[in-house]
Amino acid sequence: MRRLKGNSNQIAMKKTEKIRYEIDPHNRLIYEKTGEESEVPGFRTVLDGNFEIDENNYVTYHVKESQASCGERSPELAEGQSRTTDIPQQVKLRGAWSLDKEHNLVFTLDKWGNQIAGNKLTVESELIDAKDNRLSFALTLKDSEGNNHIYIVKLGGRWQADEYNRLTFNIEKEKGITDRITLQGAWEVNKQNEIIYTYEKSSCGERSRTTRGKKEKITKTITLKGYWDITEKHRIMYVLNKEIKSGFDFKVSVGKPAGRGLQYEIGIGAAPSKKTITLFGEWKVNPKMGLLFEMPCEEGKINRVIFGAWGKLDKNLNLEMRLENRIGEDLGIDVKLSRRILKGQGEAFIRALRSRENVSIVAGVGFRW
């Protein structure tokens, strides 16, 4: 083993030493020394282990065993260690998170420690779950003995819509640093008023698998569970967690009634493609609260949006109303509601409505004459 002359030289060498990292086809970390400071030129080793993401959304690779591609193992060293280098038991990495087109996790290293800035690590992974404050990915790793191991890693943060109405997850790290993952797939609203995100991925996680010259794709879906709020004429909100301000504030067209719900047009993407989304629910009138739109949401729950409105009863006792938000701003939505929603309100109440040419409903207060 070559000795360095003098402690000062050794310290200087260690300060300039750089390590190049890669991910092998089995999701294992490759550790490669670069430059003259490497004791064995071209030293490169594959590390058996697994990734872990901490509370600051930084990544650590826990090493179980290393396989050196050059140099022989010294008999006095433990199995898995090479005489050519000292492999750490933990490899800590710093950088920024993103996703590739296949929705694999990508970690781009920054200028920290002995990392090489800009070095990209792509981990074969599958987005399997999304909560208000985290994203979960499944990773499959094959060790040196050919055994497969599946484990879950999680990124913490909160959701928002970007300027193009795309679903964006902000990954919060220490010192106010934020990485942003923007989901590029399609999303829609189901009959339970939940956002369903859809993306395509190569089957079995194999990027190289092809059928007739094309990659086989399978469709994956993720459900984001929250509730809707209608706040402005050209904005609707999907709330995931109000306390941490996790949710989507979408820019939309003026809403319009459609069957059993409200319909909006929305443009998504930098070159926006327009689509129509429908919020499903039922209208109700409450003399003390106002005009209610009750929407089904997760686990059979009901989300209630309270509107103000003004309008009148027609000769058939149908309500013709113009909707307002909670602070009395016009939402531009005209609804015609069947007299059936007035059932159970009492004859005195209905007579009072019929006696007035115009009716005003104040959100959270009820009817005023």
Side-chain angles (χ1 to χ4, degrees):
M1 182 179 292
R2 180 168 57 86
R3 290 185 177 275
L4 297 174
K5 295 181 181 181
N7 291 334
S8 60
N9 287 340
Q10 188 170 4
I11 291 171
M13 297 288 272
K14 286 187 176 181
K15 282 185 178 179
T16 59
E17 183 178 62
K18 294 293 183 182
I19 306 296
R20 175 177 286 109
Y21 298 101
E22 298 175 32
I23 305 296
D24 81 350
H26 303 304
N27 266 348
R28 297 176 299 181
L29 189 67
I30 297 174
Y31 178 102
E32 180 182 6
K33 281 189 173 183
T34 63
E36 295 180 357
E37 62 274 15
S38 178
E39 294 173 350
V40 177
F43 176 79
R44 176 185 174 93
T45 185
V46 178
L47 307 178
D48 271 354
N50 62 276
F51 291 96
E52 180 181 85
I53 299 174
D54 65 20
E55 60 184 8
N56 290 314
N57 290 310
Y58 290 122
V59 63
T60 299
Y61 190 80
H62 296 275
V63 179
K64 296 178 181 177
E65 185 179 2
S66 64
Q67 302 169 45
S69 60
C70 63
E72 298 178 357
R73 185 178 292 122
S74 177
E76 68 270 14
L77 296 177
E79 183 73 16
Q81 290 183 314
S82 168
R83 69 178 178 83
T84 59
T85 189
D86 295 322
I87 301 298
Q89 293 301 302
Q90 293 183 347
V91 178
K92 293 186 176 182
L93 303 169
R94 297 290 182 269
W97 292 102
S98 60
L99 295 182
D100 68 8
K101 292 181 180 180
E102 287 272 317
H103 287 66
N104 295 305
L105 278 170
V106 179
F107 196 63
T108 304
L109 303 184
D110 58 22
K111 190 176 180 181
W112 180 81
N114 58 5
Q115 298 177 165
I116 297 176
N119 191 178
K120 286 192 175 184
L121 306 179
T122 300
V123 182
E124 184 78 27
S125 50
E126 181 180 335
L127 173 59
I128 58 170
D129 192 30
K131 303 295 186 187
D132 58 345
N133 62 349
R134 72 172 180 271
L135 282 177
S136 298
F137 295 83
L139 279 62
T140 300
L141 178 145
K142 182 178 287 187
D143 63 24
S144 56
E145 297 177 355
N147 299 314
N148 285 327
H149 304 273
I150 299 175
Y151 60 100
I152 308 297
V153 296
K154 299 176 182 180
L155 289 170
R158 58 193 178 98
W159 292 94
Q160 70 175 48
D162 72 2
E163 59 184 314
Y164 303 116
N165 283 329
R166 295 178 299 189
L167 309 184
T168 301
F169 189 71
N170 290 334
I171 302 166
E172 296 162 353
K173 299 188 291 192
E174 60 184 354
K175 298 179 182 179
I177 300 172
T178 301
D179 297 337
R180 176 176 291 184
I181 286 180
T182 300
L183 301 185
Q184 303 289 348
W187 62 268
E188 59 184 12
V189 179
N190 66 9
K191 292 294 181 65
Q192 286 72 47
N193 292 305
E194 298 166 326
I195 287 181
I196 306 297
Y197 176 73
T198 304
Y199 70 99
E200 289 188 334
K201 191 170 180 64
S202 297
S203 61
C204 302
E206 298 174 7
R207 298 177 215 170
S208 59
R209 174 172 288 195
T210 59
T211 300
R212 296 179 182 178
K214 294 183 179 181
K215 293 181 180 179
E216 292 183 356
K217 296 283 187 178
I218 55 177
T219 300
K220 303 284 186 178
T221 59
I222 298 294
T223 301
L224 286 157
K225 296 183 180 295
Y227 63 89
W228 292 94
D229 197 5
I230 300 169
T231 56
E232 298 179 30
K233 183 181 288 188
H234 293 287
R235 288 185 179 275
I236 56 175
M237 297 183 66
Y238 190 67
V239 181
L240 296 166
N241 187 320
K242 196 171 184 178
E243 291 183 4
I244 63 173
K245 297 181 180 179
S246 180
F248 308 110
D249 186 356
F250 295 120
K251 298 185 288 290
V252 293
S253 67
V254 174
K256 61 182 180 180
R260 294 181 58 191
L262 286 172
Q263 201 170 77
Y264 292 89
E265 284 190 358
I266 182 171
I268 301 173
S273 57
K274 288 188 177 180
K275 64 183 294 183
T276 300
I277 60 172
T278 301
L279 308 184
F280 298 95
E282 293 185 350
W283 295 98
K284 291 187 178 180
V285 171
N286 186 301
K288 295 182 179 179
M289 298 181 66
L291 185 60
L292 311 179
F293 186 55
E294 295 187 340
M295 292 180 281
C297 53
E298 60 172 316
E299 299 175 355
K301 297 177 183 177
I302 296 294
N303 174 47
R304 178 181 289 171
V305 179
I306 303 174
F307 292 102
W310 57 271
K312 62 182 180 180
L313 274 176
D314 68 14
K315 62 181 180 179
N316 297 317
L317 297 185
N318 295 316
L319 275 171
E320 297 177 350
M321 309 298 294
R322 181 70 169 244
L323 302 188
E324 298 175 342
N325 64 13
R326 295 184 186 90
I327 59 174
E329 294 175 336
D330 182 12
L331 292 174
I333 304 172
D334 293 309
V335 296
K336 188 170 184 177
L337 306 174
S338 168
R339 62 186 179 183
R340 290 194 301 270
I341 71 169
L342 295 175
K343 286 184 178 180
Q345 305 298 337
E347 289 298 320
F349 173 67
I350 295 175
R351 284 197 301 270
L353 287 178
R354 295 186 69 181
S355 67
R356 307 291 174 177
E357 183 175 343
N358 291 296
V359 176
S360 176
I361 306 174
V362 180
V365 177
F367 284 86
R368 286 185 179 175
W369 328 106

